[in-house]
Amino acid sequence: MEATVEKTSYHVSNDGYYGTFGGAFIPEMLYPNVEELRDNYLKIIQEPDFLDEYNDLLRNYVGRPTPLYHAKRLSEKYNTNVYLKREDLCHTGAHKVNNTIGQILLAKRLGKKRIVAETGAGQHGVATATVCALMNLECVVYMGALDIERQAPNVARMKMLGAEVRSATCGSQTLKDATNEAMRHWINNPVDTHYIIGSVVGPHPYPDMVARFQSIISEEIRWQLKEQTGHENPDYVVACVGGGSNAAGAFYHFLDQESVKLVAVEAAGQGVGTGHSAATTALGKPGVLHGSRTILMQTEDGQVVEPYSISAGLDYPGIGPQHAYLFDSGRGTFLSATDEEAIQAAFELTRLEGIIPALESSHALAVLGRLGASISDTVVVNLSGRGDKDMATYMKYID
Ligand SMILES: *Cc1c(COP(=O)(O)O)cnc(C)c1O
């Protein structure tokens, strides 16, 4: 990772904003924690000793660089040149570990003894429990009671890794409630605990910090593309968006390359107009969610609307503030794919390339035919994760 301070409009401003989005809208009780992070994160993640340890773990523990694979049969089908960035090959099966490794190294340098995290489907909980085992730090993961029931394999993984999984029993007993409990825990243990957020969401500096840890994705894409095609810049970079961390990492080094089209794909669920959707930019309005001003799905009086998607990782009612700005400014193109389209794309990739993608990543694949890419264009799709965790869903479509 190159930890340099970027001075362009699509990156965070000194006071934590992307245009009018971002900021830190938090209860006063959280101020000391967030302030400590804000004052230290840039300095720490640019220290040579931090970078050495981070890069060594990415290489020898996570398995980076992940391949950039020219998918020939998929390219033929869509009459363009498709390259897959293989984040599915990361240790633990997705990009999330790039962030949890960065944050745990930061937590250690801040003298923290315990990690707290929230998780919905359990993927971020597993990535957090993994690095806590690696670094021998205590790990507490809050999870909605309903999600604990629905995601038994990931609960077992977290426990096997030594994490304590605490049930959030209020409200809808899902991610939102787990996030509240984790925040409360952090407020009550400010001195010895670090809160690892799993996406480019939350109060400043989280969105910027997580984007920097995930920016290794586009850093690698640039040199890998140069090696394979002679050009650093593709014509399109396509990624799915839940909170937006894999997309933020895949876009990062192309933000100021205006010739590179940045395509974010949200989960339309059963369809944008059906009331069962997670297509935030299509359905949402500006507001404050989890500590930052962004775009979120809400009712007339500002209550958060429960999102729906077949893929648990995209089932989030907002997007990170940088994505809200990319949408608002027109720098990013926001599309959506339905459950059905994602399933079809998953089977298509599997049959054409022998790669079973995560349901989340399948949303990005689902828009390949809609980009308007030509035979001479280069399209990079960020394959954020592998499909092992989704086999129970895929099995329903196998006869
Ligand atoms: C969690 C997850 C996502 C969604 O999170 P982002 O922060 O939007 O990247 C996407 N793909 C996979 C495989 C995931 O596990």
Side-chain angles (χ1 to χ4, degrees):
M1 188 189 57
E2 283 169 52
T4 49
V5 181
E6 308 284 346
K7 288 209 171 44
T8 57
S9 54
Y10 300 112
H11 288 278
V12 76
S13 68
N14 286 335
D15 53 350
Y17 279 85
Y18 305 85
T20 62
F21 300 104
F25 298 83
I26 50 175
E28 206 168 302
M29 303 278 282
L30 264 185
Y31 254 94
N33 310 39
V34 171
E35 198 173 32
E36 181 188 34
L37 258 190
R38 193 194 62 206
D39 290 348
N40 291 289
Y41 84 107
L42 282 180
K43 181 168 64 71
I44 291 176
I45 70 176
Q46 294 178 79
E47 278 163 6
D49 144 83
F50 178 96
L51 287 171
D52 282 350
E53 196 176 357
Y54 180 65
N55 288 326
D56 177 68
L57 283 171
L58 287 187
R59 187 180 177 85
N60 298 312
Y61 186 71
V62 174
R64 305 205 72 92
T66 58
L68 182 71
Y69 167 66
H70 185 198
K72 294 186 192 64
R73 295 188 64 206
L74 195 64
S75 299
E76 227 165 79
K77 162 108 205 236
Y78 289 102
N79 260 308
T80 187
N81 300 289
V82 182
Y83 289 79
L84 303 175
K85 183 56 174 162
R86 301 290 309 275
E87 294 302 292
D88 60 313
L89 295 177
C90 288
H91 176 48
T92 71
H95 67 288
K96 286 195 172 72
V97 72
N98 301 327
N99 169 45
T100 58
I101 290 216
Q103 286 204 48
I104 203 153
L105 293 179
L106 179 71
K108 279 209 313 181
R109 281 160 177 79
L110 289 171
K112 307 296 178 184
K113 300 281 179 281
R114 186 194 295 130
I115 297 297
V116 62
E118 83 295 332
T119 198
Q123 294 302 110
H124 174 56
V126 168
T128 301
T130 297
V131 297
C132 286
L134 177 69
M135 293 293 162
N136 193 25
L137 288 193
E138 198 186 319
C139 182
V140 177
V141 180
Y142 285 91
M143 193 168 182
L146 195 65
D147 289 335
I148 289 181
E149 265 175 50
R150 292 191 293 198
Q151 310 289 343
N154 275 342
V155 175
R157 279 187 192 106
M158 286 185 266
K159 288 184 175 168
M160 185 163 173
L161 287 159
E164 182 192 335
V165 180
R166 290 193 192 164
S167 177
T169 52
C170 42
S172 55
Q173 311 195 344
T174 57
L175 178 60
K176 167 170 63 68
D177 315 289
T179 306
N180 292 339
E181 294 283 338
M183 290 263 181
R184 204 164 301 147
H185 181 110
W186 199 25
I187 289 171
N188 292 331
N189 302 270
V191 179
D192 65 349
T193 301
H194 174 69
Y195 178 22
I196 299 191
I197 292 184
S199 191
V200 285
V201 300
H204 177 66
Y206 278 103
D208 182 53
M209 180 169 70
V210 176
R212 283 170 187 266
F213 289 142
Q214 293 293 357
S215 72
I216 185 70
I217 298 172
S218 50
E219 189 182 317
E220 289 175 4
I221 291 172
R222 291 196 89 180
W223 65 255
Q224 289 172 321
L225 212 52
K226 174 100 182 166
E227 224 171 61
Q228 294 182 40
T229 69
H231 306 284
E232 282 184 335
N233 288 346
D235 297 284
Y236 298 85
V237 180
V238 186
C240 66
V241 173
S245 67
N246 87 86
F251 294 169
Y252 196 91
H253 290 280
F254 301 113
L255 285 169
D256 300 313
Q257 313 289 318
E258 302 271 351
S259 69
V260 182
K261 296 179 192 74
L262 308 176
V263 181
V265 186
E266 297 177 326
Q270 295 174 3
V272 169
T274 62
H276 302 277
S277 180
T280 304
T281 58
L283 295 166
K285 286 196 295 284
V288 171
L289 179 67
H290 296 146
S292 69
R293 183 172 188 276
T294 187
I295 296 173
L296 64 136
M297 290 164 47
Q298 54 189 313
T299 60
E300 283 298 320
D301 47 357
Q303 293 297 308
V304 175
V305 170
E306 275 291 323
Y308 163 81
S309 164
I310 194 171
S311 77
L314 303 185
D315 198 351
Y316 184 70
I319 48 173
Q322 185 180 43
H323 290 297
Y325 184 57
L326 293 177
F327 172 72
D328 200 46
S329 64
R331 175 69 186 95
T333 302
F334 283 69
L335 305 176
S336 66
T338 63
D339 292 353
E340 207 53 51
E341 290 169 330
I343 293 279
Q344 271 175 27
F347 278 86
E348 179 178 87
L349 182 71
T350 304
R351 297 288 166 81
L352 288 178
E353 301 288 349
I355 298 169
I356 302 180
L359 262 169
E360 290 84 359
S361 323
S362 305
H363 287 72
L365 295 163
V367 306
L368 276 172
R370 284 192 253 154
L371 295 174
S374 77
I375 186 92
S376 59
D377 282 341
T378 299
V379 180
V380 175
V381 178
N382 196 37
L383 204 68
S384 56
R386 64 177 177 234
D388 305 37
K389 69 181 177 57
D390 300 310
M391 284 315 296
T393 305
Y394 291 149
M395 273 161 67
K396 295 180 195 153
Y397 296 84
I398 299 168
D399 32 54

